[in-house]
């Protein structure tokens, strides 16, 4: 399953709790943080006297690096879930990259070709929150900064994706436990098929 939404929507917090809850209730699950380095590159850029990662790499360069990194982290997460026989709770997925490309004026075509090998999640949870609320949360988090216009453009881009009709939209503006309860209800309404499997070892043992 994938949790998607704009920065500050609460994906990381909620996805971790969801993976813990699934595991505790008998469905082994694993949280995967599929970050593609925007915050990291932003910090490097500022150290080098640039405004942000796009200023450092150029928009096309940034999108290329971000897309390739996103591909790698998603592939790694899916592989790990396969090997460990756990449900993958994905914090971000391919849709986040399509959105990142769109808001920067790029074309999704080549990213879509690259990501075509990845499976469609059994459940895509879109954490819906007002951009202003998300911005306040990001500021309070204190690790990064997002422009309100950028967050609003991301929200619009997510909602305009061709896959958006298949997203389960969850109101993520409430208190964290209430949002978690809503997410759990969504999972229970649409249980993720899970075939328990013994973890596979990367190397033959014995
Ligand atoms: C889930 C949630 C998080 N937060 C806080 C925790 C974090 O410091 C910040 C952002 O949450 P985070 O889970 O990091 O969001 P995302 O992964 O979507 O960027 O907001 C809230 O204030 N309310 C909430 O409902």
């Amino acid at each position: 399953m994938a949790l998607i939404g704009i920065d500050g929507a609460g994906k990381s917090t909620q996805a971790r709790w969801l993976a813990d809850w699934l595991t505790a209730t008998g469905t082994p699950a694993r949280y995967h943080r599929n970050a593609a380095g925007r915050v990291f590159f932003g910090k490097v850029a500022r150290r080098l006297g640039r405004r942000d990662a796009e200023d450092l790499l150029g928009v096309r360069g940034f999108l290329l690096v971000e897309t390739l990194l996103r591909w790698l982290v998603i592939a790694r997460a899916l592989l790990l879930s396969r090997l460990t026989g756990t449900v993958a709770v994905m914090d971000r997925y391919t849709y986040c990259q399509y959105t990142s490309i769109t808001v920067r004026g790029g074309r999704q075509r080549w990213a879509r070709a690259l990501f075509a090998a990845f499976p469609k999640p059994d459940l895509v949870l879109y954490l819906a929150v007002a951009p202003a609320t998300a911005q306040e949360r990001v500021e309070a988090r204190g690790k990064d900064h997002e422009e309100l216009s950028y967050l609003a453009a991301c929200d619009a881009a997510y909602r305009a994706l061709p896959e958006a009709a298949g997203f389960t939209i969850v109101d993520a503006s409430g208190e964290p436990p209430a949002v978690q309860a809503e997410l759990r209800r969504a999972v229970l309404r649409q249980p993720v098929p899970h075939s328990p499997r013994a973890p596979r070892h990367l190397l033959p043992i014995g």
Side-chain angles (χ1 to χ4, degrees):
M1 66 182 69
L3 279 81
I4 61 170
I6 60 179
D7 287 332
K11 301 178 293 297
S12 305
T13 311
Q14 298 292 351
R16 283 180 207 278
W17 289 352
L18 215 44
D20 289 347
W21 167 70
L22 281 166
T23 303
T25 53
T27 304
R30 193 176 177 127
Y31 166 82
H32 299 279
R33 177 166 174 76
N34 298 314
R38 198 161 71 89
V39 174
F40 170 77
F41 283 116
K43 279 186 189 155
V44 172
R46 281 188 291 280
R47 277 210 192 137
L48 296 173
R50 302 299 184 97
R51 196 179 60 246
D52 52 27
E54 289 151 75
D55 191 26
L56 181 69
L57 302 169
V59 174
R60 288 172 72 92
F62 169 74
L63 285 176
L64 180 68
V65 169
E66 191 189 42
T67 303
L68 293 177
L69 281 176
R70 186 88 68 198
W71 191 94
L72 282 173
V73 293
I74 292 175
R76 178 183 178 277
L78 294 172
L79 185 65
L80 272 175
S81 265
R82 263 297 159 89
L83 291 171
T84 55
T86 50
V87 168
V89 181
M90 306 289 266
D91 175 359
R92 296 178 173 268
Y93 201 57
T94 55
Y95 313 111
C96 304
Q97 198 54 34
Y98 304 149
T99 296
S100 176
I101 292 169
T102 300
V103 298
R104 291 175 176 82
R107 292 221 191 119
Q108 296 175 17
R109 208 175 40 177
W110 58 275
R112 283 189 174 273
L114 209 57
F115 293 164
F118 294 144
K120 180 175 172 288
D122 295 300
L123 186 59
V124 181
L125 297 156
Y126 183 71
L127 272 61
V129 69
T133 306
Q135 192 191 35
E136 281 169 21
R137 290 180 184 175
V138 171
E139 292 300 322
R141 183 166 65 190
K143 286 189 199 156
D144 45 354
H145 169 79
E146 300 295 357
E147 295 295 330
L148 190 56
S149 56
Y150 171 77
L151 293 171
C154 288
D155 183 50
Y158 271 116
R159 292 173 187 276
L161 286 171
E163 296 91 347
F167 297 164
T168 299
I169 297 187
V170 173
D171 178 4
S173 58
E175 288 300 309
V179 175
Q180 178 67 194
E182 183 58 36
L183 289 168
R184 290 180 188 180
R185 277 194 289 275
V187 171
L188 290 172
R189 271 199 305 274
Q190 198 175 339
V192 174
H194 168 65
S195 42
R197 171 190 307 154
R200 288 187 206 161
H201 295 287
L202 288 171
L203 293 169
I205 295 174

